[in-house]
Amino acid sequence: MQAKASPENSSRSLNPNTSLVAGGHVQEQHYMGEATGPISLDRTEKRPLRTALTYKIKKQLEPFQYTNLPTSRSIRLLEILPCAGGRVRCYMRTVTLDDEPYFNALSYTWGDPLWRGLSPPAPEYETCSHEIECDGHSLKIHKNLHDLLLQLSKKLTAIVTDFKDKNQDHKVMIMLQSLRKLGAAMCHTRYWEANYIWIDAICINQQDPIERGAQVSIMGDVYRAAHSVVVWLGPHDKQADEAIRVCHILESIPLEKWQDIRSIRDENSYRKLGIPCISQEQWEDFGAFAQRSWFSRAWILQEAVLARQFVVLYDRHELPWRDLAASFGFILASKWEIEIAHLASSAAGLQNNEKFSPHLMTGNCTKVARIQALRKSGLRVSFWSLLTTVRNCMAQDPRDLVYAVLGMVHTPTNTIVPNYTKSTSEVYTEAAWAIIDETENLQLLCFVTDISKRKINDLPSWVPDWSARLRPSPLRGGPQGYANREKESRWYPAGDHRWIRPRGNFGSRELTVSALQVDTVLATATDPADAHNLHMTLELAADHLQCAPQGLSSVGRSEALWRTLIADTVHQERAVERHRDMFHDWLIHTMWKIYHAVSISDSLKLRERIEKARLSLAKLATLDDTGLVPDLGTIDADLQVIKDGSRHTHKRIIYNSTQYTLNMQPACLRRKLFRTSNGLLGLGPESLRVGDKVVIATGSDLPLILRPMAGKPQTFQFVGQAYVHEIMHGEALRLLFETKASFEDIVLI
């Protein structure tokens, strides 16, 4: 592709030590839409005059055309020129990073920069329809970027006019001084001495997938080389001013006072912190500001962490990064982010909208805090850890959720090369193999979201879909700390069987693992943490007590129930005996909640559910001879005590039930309770169904649920991981001695 105006392919240096012409003489030149004569990009040199007075504006501009970059280390840089007739004008040059050019880099969002709740983005931000003039040709960009460039261009024009009015006879020097004051067009800071800026949407030919891949592969080097990285949060809105005031207030709180403060509505909280009270309206504005689109971008992790210096701009104002990071960090430490998100949603009329989720606010605060931690410490970060950080972030292209972190990876991932001719499925599969090689185990399987929640339909079943929210959360309580050996797993279902790297070429869609088939799913109960599903949970538990393995005591059968419902985990440790009593009170309180719901709505459906729950509970209590499960008489007596107002009994039941529920929710949410043909009890993925196989595999610290593929022996679809009581510590290995079962190679597809 050849441009009619070809200055863009020049590779002259931006090194400050380069001189324009021998002897330092400058000859005035007229800029007519293309460069004339030798031009260097030295920030200290004298430049040809390019003013609106000597620029001939073309009414109809031909489309800008990119030329190929000369080397793998070449990049394009943009110079913003004074505004002419309301048009944004710029000048592009090609340089090489090896020459250490002097430039800044922009971090921004392509689409709508503002938070609009659940409303769709403003349509004017979604199309690439705003025209600028680049090297005398027309180039289309998105509105958010156009707003920024127009603001800079107008400011630069004002500076030029100011100098021109003061000294009409020195036009050349006026322009040279004006261009060196580009920083004044953006903010009042010394960081903006550089005249050239790198902007991905313009400096990369987005229509050329080969160039995109090559440029993305060096993007980490671009942000490392930039003098400053400038964040553009977008234009001013009605929430911005108060939100910034809140940022400054929170930034002033000493680190030693960062703690779990009671509530943002409690005036005592502010007195303890030594700050003025922040009104509900101010919190609403801060919540809207903190959910602006920039904070949700996948690329900001790399752009912010690698930056030498960091400047945050919104409209015409500058916000120090330290204030922003400190305020977000405090919000996380005080655990106020959920409450703030709800206030912002209420102000936006979303409080009762079932689609509303506070996770955006939590994710944004967490990401900013992570950026700040990495900037301060320079920690070595694993590939899988970075991928979990950007999961669910905004990206124009889902492949960028992988490519956006490659510039920060310290462990070898040179087998992943950005390539936009590959499908998302191919890119995610390569990432999965990179995690296997990095962790040397099968822990990537904990990142695989449920089949029903995946967005990329043609992914192999064992490959994580990084564009989809991770649901359910890993049974281990989250992946942090496991793959990098910070903490050993409590579980080892495969015993001491040594893990061997799965066979297969890098990027293969098939994963071969060594596994032992243990059992088959016989029955399931949906979402056991939901009170409305209590009857199904109790019915399955009763069947389990009836059909438990021979030789297992009644104490062991009952224990399997209360331990399984919390995945035998409390604060990452094994549950203790007092949680047995909490389960007892949880049953009573759950029955009370169902009774209460019936008394309010008098729904026939609810009455049917409570009757089923009573019958199932009676059956379960009859089968249990350990006293764990209260019978109906005990339940009714305790409910009457609560109704009569016995403060001590009520308080005990509520407390125990709440504690058990807190441990039950992360284990049971979006999972199914199931029992197997051999009488085992477990928690499995939401898409689990009867006939699925329970398998233990070397390299995995959790049993796997696999679905046999019809007509393909030893070939399975990965459904998810599971907690299965009685086989979490190698007990299933007895099958190796009692039967002819053995570890065999199976294929996941």
Side-chain angles (χ1 to χ4, degrees):
M1 297 178 293
Q2 296 296 325
K4 293 187 177 182
S6 59
E8 176 263 320
N9 65 358
S10 172
S11 57
R12 297 177 179 87
S13 172
L14 273 76
N15 193 303
N17 296 322
T18 304
S19 59
L20 176 61
V21 182
H25 299 292
V26 179
Q27 183 177 4
E28 180 173 347
Q29 301 164 346
H30 295 277
Y31 183 62
M32 305 292 292
E34 56 185 75
T36 58
I39 297 179
S40 169
L41 305 184
D42 180 350
R43 70 184 177 96
T44 62
E45 71 190 13
K46 300 173 182 178
R47 299 162 181 256
L49 174 63
R50 308 184 192 106
T51 68
L53 298 177
T54 59
Y55 193 98
K56 295 182 180 179
I57 301 175
K58 302 177 182 179
K59 293 183 178 179
Q60 293 184 345
L61 302 178
E62 295 183 4
F64 180 84
Q65 294 182 2
Y66 289 89
T67 56
N68 294 331
L69 291 167
T71 73
S72 62
R73 299 282 292 169
S74 295
I75 63 172
R76 301 182 184 91
L77 295 178
L78 202 68
E79 179 182 12
I80 303 170
L81 302 177
C83 189
R87 187 195 297 273
V88 173
R89 299 185 300 122
C90 60
Y91 185 68
M92 196 181 293
R93 281 297 189 202
T94 300
V95 299
T96 175
L97 288 174
D98 295 333
D99 287 341
E100 300 181 0
Y102 194 84
F103 68 99
N104 296 310
L106 183 65
S107 176
Y108 69 109
T109 182
W110 284 28
D112 191 341
L114 303 179
W115 181 70
R116 301 182 188 276
L118 297 179
S119 301
E124 63 268 23
Y125 283 101
E126 297 306 297
T127 58
C128 192
S129 58
H130 289 72
E131 184 182 69
I132 65 170
E133 185 173 332
C134 184
D135 290 344
H137 291 71
S138 170
L139 185 63
K140 296 294 184 65
I141 62 174
H142 284 81
K143 176 175 170 52
N144 188 39
L145 178 55
H146 185 269
D147 288 345
L148 172 64
L149 296 182
L150 184 61
Q151 177 176 306
L152 302 184
S153 183
K154 287 181 176 179
K155 182 66 174 178
L156 192 55
T157 302
I159 296 173
V160 171
T161 302
D162 180 58
F163 277 108
K164 180 168 66 69
D165 290 343
K166 293 179 180 177
N167 194 336
Q168 290 280 354
D169 298 327
H170 300 283
K171 295 179 181 179
V172 174
M173 292 305 299
I174 290 171
M175 178 55 67
L176 294 178
Q177 294 175 40
S178 300
L179 291 176
R180 280 195 288 272
K181 288 181 174 292
L182 178 60
M186 302 197 75
C187 57
H188 300 291
T189 172
R190 59 185 178 84
Y191 300 147
W192 274 96
E193 296 172 354
N195 297 332
Y196 288 85
I197 185 169
W198 185 88
I199 303 173
D200 60 350
I202 298 177
C203 297
I204 299 176
N205 183 0
Q206 301 295 330
Q207 303 306 314
D208 183 351
I210 303 299
E211 179 179 306
R212 282 178 65 197
Q215 288 285 282
V216 167
S217 67
I218 63 170
M219 199 172 289
D221 294 335
V222 171
Y223 281 96
R224 288 187 185 94
H227 177 64
S228 296
V229 171
V230 179
V231 172
W232 170 246
L233 295 181
H236 185 274
D237 63 7
K238 63 181 181 180
Q239 290 93 4
D241 290 339
E242 291 303 319
I244 299 307
R245 288 190 183 93
V246 172
C247 279
H248 292 318
I249 292 173
L250 298 182
E251 185 274 334
S252 67
I253 301 173
L255 189 61
E256 59 270 16
K257 291 188 177 181
W258 286 21
Q259 56 184 312
D260 187 356
I261 305 297
R262 184 176 299 173
S263 170
I264 61 176
R265 294 184 175 91
D266 184 359
E267 293 185 2
N268 290 326
S269 299
Y270 299 103
R271 280 195 288 269
K272 290 179 181 178
L273 295 171
I275 60 174
C277 285
I278 300 174
S279 69
Q280 177 174 325
E281 290 75 17
Q282 287 178 303
W283 281 123
E284 291 170 356
D285 292 344
F286 178 84
F289 178 81
Q291 295 178 93
R292 283 196 176 199
S293 299
W294 182 84
F295 297 104
S296 302
R297 292 179 62 242
W299 286 100
I300 71 168
L301 194 67
Q302 174 176 269
E303 296 165 358
V305 170
L306 299 182
R308 297 182 188 179
Q309 301 176 96
F310 208 35
V311 181
V312 181
L313 302 177
Y314 72 99
D315 197 49
R316 301 176 183 178
H317 309 288
E318 178 183 348
L319 174 65
W321 169 255
R322 64 179 181 275
D323 289 6
L324 191 65
S327 59
F328 278 49
F330 170 78
I331 293 298
L332 278 181
S334 63
K335 300 181 181 179
W336 284 357
E337 73 276 8
I338 301 297
E339 195 171 358
I340 295 171
H342 280 286
L343 284 176
S345 68
S346 178
L350 307 176
Q351 189 173 23
N352 298 319
N353 192 308
E354 61 181 9
K355 295 182 180 180
F356 167 71
S357 171
H359 291 127
L360 177 62
M361 181 74 180
T362 303
N364 290 351
C365 289
T366 301
K367 194 186 307 176
V368 170
R370 185 91 190 275
I371 289 172
Q372 185 68 353
L374 291 173
R375 283 181 62 82
K376 283 185 175 181
S377 63
L379 294 175
R380 299 179 68 84
V381 188
S382 62
F383 181 47
W384 68 264
S385 177
L386 291 170
L387 285 175
T388 59
T389 301
V390 301
R391 189 167 199 159
N392 304 312
C393 289
M394 290 170 47
Q396 291 284 332
D397 188 320
R399 293 169 290 190
D400 286 340
L401 294 173
V402 173
Y403 295 157
V405 301
L406 292 181
M408 298 176 59
V409 176
H410 293 284
T411 51
T413 55
N414 53 3
T415 45
I416 300 181
V417 177
N419 184 346
Y420 288 93
T421 65
K422 291 184 177 180
S423 67
T424 302
S425 179
E426 290 176 300
V427 173
Y428 285 9
T429 302
E430 287 185 350
W433 280 102
I435 294 174
I436 289 175
D437 290 339
E438 179 183 60
T439 61
E440 299 182 347
N441 55 40
L442 293 178
Q443 300 311 325
L444 93 151
L445 296 179
C446 77
F447 304 131
V448 178
T449 196
D450 190 82
I451 297 172
S452 63
K453 301 297 189 297
R454 297 177 195 174
K455 296 181 179 179
I456 310 301
N457 295 325
D458 60 341
L459 274 179
S461 63
W462 56 275
V463 172
D465 181 355
W466 299 106
S467 67
R469 185 177 295 280
L470 181 55
R471 292 179 176 175
S473 298
L475 274 168
R476 299 172 306 182
Q480 305 293 340
Y482 284 85
N484 58 2
R485 311 301 197 278
E486 289 178 12
K487 183 176 181 179
E488 294 297 328
S489 173
R490 294 189 293 111
W491 297 319
Y492 42 93
D496 57 359
H497 277 256
R498 187 170 61 89
W499 180 81
I500 301 174
R501 186 192 184 278
R503 293 196 303 273
N505 297 325
F506 187 88
S508 170
R509 293 179 62 87
E510 295 185 352
L511 179 67
T512 301
V513 299
S514 178
L516 174 67
Q517 297 187 45
V518 175
D519 214 336
T520 303
V521 175
L522 185 63
T524 68
T526 303
D527 199 359
D530 189 343
H532 295 301
N533 297 328
L534 181 64
H535 62 286
M536 292 189 291
T537 300
L538 296 177
E539 184 66 31
L540 188 143
D543 292 342
H544 164 70
L545 289 185
Q546 271 186 321
C547 307
Q550 292 185 357
L552 191 63
S553 68
S554 59
V555 174
R557 294 197 300 269
S558 299
E559 184 179 41
L561 176 58
W562 70 262
R563 286 190 182 275
T564 297
L565 288 175
I566 57 174
D568 198 20
T569 301
V570 177
H571 302 307
Q572 299 298 317
E573 301 296 336
R574 189 170 189 265
V576 295
E577 198 62 25
R578 73 172 180 271
H579 295 102
R580 178 184 185 276
D581 299 329
M582 291 179 178
F583 169 78
H584 178 281
D585 287 343
W586 170 80
L587 275 176
I588 296 173
H589 188 221
T590 303
M591 289 294 292
W592 177 83
K593 286 192 289 187
I594 299 175
Y595 278 122
H596 183 66
V598 170
S599 68
I600 294 175
S601 68
D602 197 26
S603 165
L604 178 61
K605 192 173 183 179
L606 281 176
R607 287 187 176 279
E608 290 175 351
R609 282 179 178 171
I610 198 168
E611 186 60 30
K612 289 179 180 179
R614 286 179 63 85
L615 292 174
S616 299
L617 185 60
K619 179 181 177 181
L620 183 61
T622 301
L623 294 168
D624 173 47
D625 56 5
T626 67
L628 172 68
V629 181
D631 57 27
L632 291 179
T634 303
I635 291 264
D636 291 339
D638 282 340
L639 291 178
Q640 187 61 44
V641 169
I642 294 174
K643 186 177 180 181
D644 291 342
S646 174
R647 184 178 182 85
H648 176 74
T649 303
H650 182 270
K651 187 175 181 179
R652 186 209 76 212
I653 291 175
I654 295 298
Y655 175 80
N656 284 345
S657 174
T658 301
Q659 292 302 307
Y660 191 81
T661 300
L662 288 174
N663 293 305
M664 188 180 180
Q665 283 180 339
C668 291
L669 188 62
R670 298 187 178 89
R671 285 193 172 89
K672 288 181 178 179
L673 184 69
F674 69 89
R675 66 184 185 93
T676 68
S677 299
N678 293 325
L680 297 175
L681 197 64
L683 285 172
E686 199 171 6
S687 294
L688 174 79
R689 67 189 186 199
V690 173
D692 288 343
K693 301 298 181 180
V694 179
V695 173
I696 58 175
T698 58
S700 174
D701 60 5
L702 285 166
L704 310 179
I705 302 296
L706 306 181
R707 186 164 297 156
M709 301 300 294
K712 296 182 179 180
Q714 299 297 91
T715 304
F716 298 85
Q717 180 185 38
F718 176 73
V719 181
Q721 294 181 313
Y723 172 88
V724 185
H725 199 68
E726 296 295 333
I727 68 167
M728 300 302 293
H729 302 283
E731 298 92 338
L733 297 183
R734 68 176 183 270
L735 294 174
L736 298 176
F737 304 100
E738 297 174 357
T739 70
K740 295 181 180 180
S742 62
F743 277 87
E744 298 176 327
D745 283 350
I746 64 173
V747 178
L748 305 183
I749 60 174

